[in-house]
Amino acid sequence: DVKVTQSSRYLVKRTGEKVFLECVQDMDHENMFWYRQDPGLGLRLIYFSYDVKMKEKGDIPEGYSVSREKKERFSLILESASTNQTSMYLCASLTKNTEAFFGQGTRLTVV
Amino acid sequence: GEDVEQSLFLSVREGDSSVINCTYTDSSSTYLYWYKQEPGAGLQLLTYIFSNMDMKQDQRLTVLLNKKDKHLSLRIADTQTGDSAIYFCAESSYSSASKIIFGSGTRLSIRP
């Protein structure tokens, strides 16, 4: 079974803090993605990565950055957290035939 | 850009069939997916259909694809309370660099 693990289920951070969300997959997939999920908006793509040290902006990259130093790990970084970044964040890993596997999600609250 | 649309809510009586509909815009879609999300959980892949297929059946689930109209549906037979969840339609294509584009999700509620 493919496992995609997100480091935290729930996080509460203060405005202006730097926040790291970690995602690890154990199936040697090249493609990894970060989405945020908000009610009525579905899943919106923040950033994705095709390979180590490669990253591409998704639809809503503003206020975020990513890091992919190792194939199995894809980190989402909020440089200076703001209240409008309160959301559910979902990491996904993709097989070569584009089947996606998701982590359990991190619910981030910025106060 | 590519877009996937689905209605936000559906309510059905327990034991009836549920039909969740979805439309998409990318004519080069390769795979079309249905994901289920239960409260507090991540997304679980329910089923998917390759774009050269019209129908796929898996136990209580039937997926119908009308490629001409870019319409996808998910039918759940004999709907149970455990089917209460948000159902996301999604599509991917090699032309969109293997990104998966999601709809906004349909919240299915079951009434007794």
Side-chain angles (χ1 to χ4, degrees):
Chain A
D1 270 0
V2 175
K3 281 207 171 52
V4 180
T5 305
Q6 294 181 229
S7 53
S8 305
R9 288 295 302 275
Y10 301 95
L11 275 179
V12 180
K13 296 292 181 180
R14 292 192 184 279
T15 300
E17 274 194 77
K18 190 168 185 174
V19 182
F20 292 85
L21 303 183
E22 306 285 349
C23 176
V24 177
Q25 51 97 1
D26 65 0
M27 285 301 290
D28 203 36
H29 291 163
E30 287 168 356
N31 296 346
M32 295 185 75
F33 299 78
W34 274 106
Y35 292 88
R36 66 177 278 179
Q37 182 185 8
D38 300 289
L41 296 177
L43 275 72
R44 294 180 292 167
L45 182 63
I46 306 171
Y47 265 98
F48 60 105
S49 169
Y50 289 128
D51 205 344
V52 175
K53 296 194 188 296
M54 293 185 70
K55 59 186 179 185
E56 296 281 345
K57 292 180 181 178
D59 299 319
I60 51 163
E62 296 77 20
Y64 302 95
S65 63
V66 290
S67 172
R68 185 107 181 260
E69 295 296 318
K70 292 186 178 179
K71 196 173 188 179
E72 66 269 19
R73 186 180 296 270
F74 190 35
S75 304
L76 180 69
I77 303 156
L78 286 67
E79 297 290 342
S80 176
S82 63
T83 54
N84 64 11
Q85 292 178 309
T86 291
S87 187
M88 168 74 90
Y89 290 87
L90 289 162
C91 173
S93 168
L94 205 68
T95 66
K96 281 188 174 15
N97 70 352
T98 73
E99 179 181 354
F101 293 86
F102 283 85
Q104 284 296 94
T106 298
R107 186 167 292 283
L108 173 66
T109 303
V110 183
V111 298
Chain B
E2 305 91 351
D3 196 18
V4 177
E5 291 192 357
Q6 51 184 133
S7 54
L8 291 180
F9 300 100
L10 177 66
S11 175
V12 298
R13 197 181 301 278
E14 189 174 1
D16 286 353
S17 291
S18 307
V19 179
I20 304 172
N21 295 301
C22 168
T23 57
Y24 60 97
T25 58
D26 186 356
S27 56
S28 65
S29 291
T30 313
Y31 286 91
L32 295 119
Y33 306 84
W34 285 105
Y35 285 86
K36 178 182 181 182
Q37 185 182 38
E38 295 178 356
L43 271 69
Q44 170 198 357
L45 178 65
L46 270 184
T47 185
Y48 63 89
I49 189 167
F50 193 56
S51 58
N52 67 355
M53 298 169 65
D54 298 325
M55 185 181 87
K56 181 177 180 182
Q57 189 152 4
D58 183 3
Q59 298 182 336
R60 291 191 298 123
L61 304 179
T62 303
V63 177
L64 293 177
L65 174 61
N66 181 329
K67 202 170 177 183
K68 175 174 165 290
D69 294 338
K70 300 192 187 72
H71 182 268
L72 182 75
S73 67
L74 173 70
R75 178 176 179 270
I76 306 172
D78 186 25
T79 309
Q80 303 297 310
T81 53
D83 295 323
S84 290
I86 302 176
Y87 291 81
F88 289 92
C89 172
E91 64 94 13
S92 68
S93 69
Y94 294 112
S95 67
S96 66
S98 298
K99 288 187 289 183
I100 295 191
I101 311 296
F102 286 85
S104 55
T106 299
R107 183 178 295 275
L108 175 65
S109 64
I110 315 301
R111 55 184 193 274

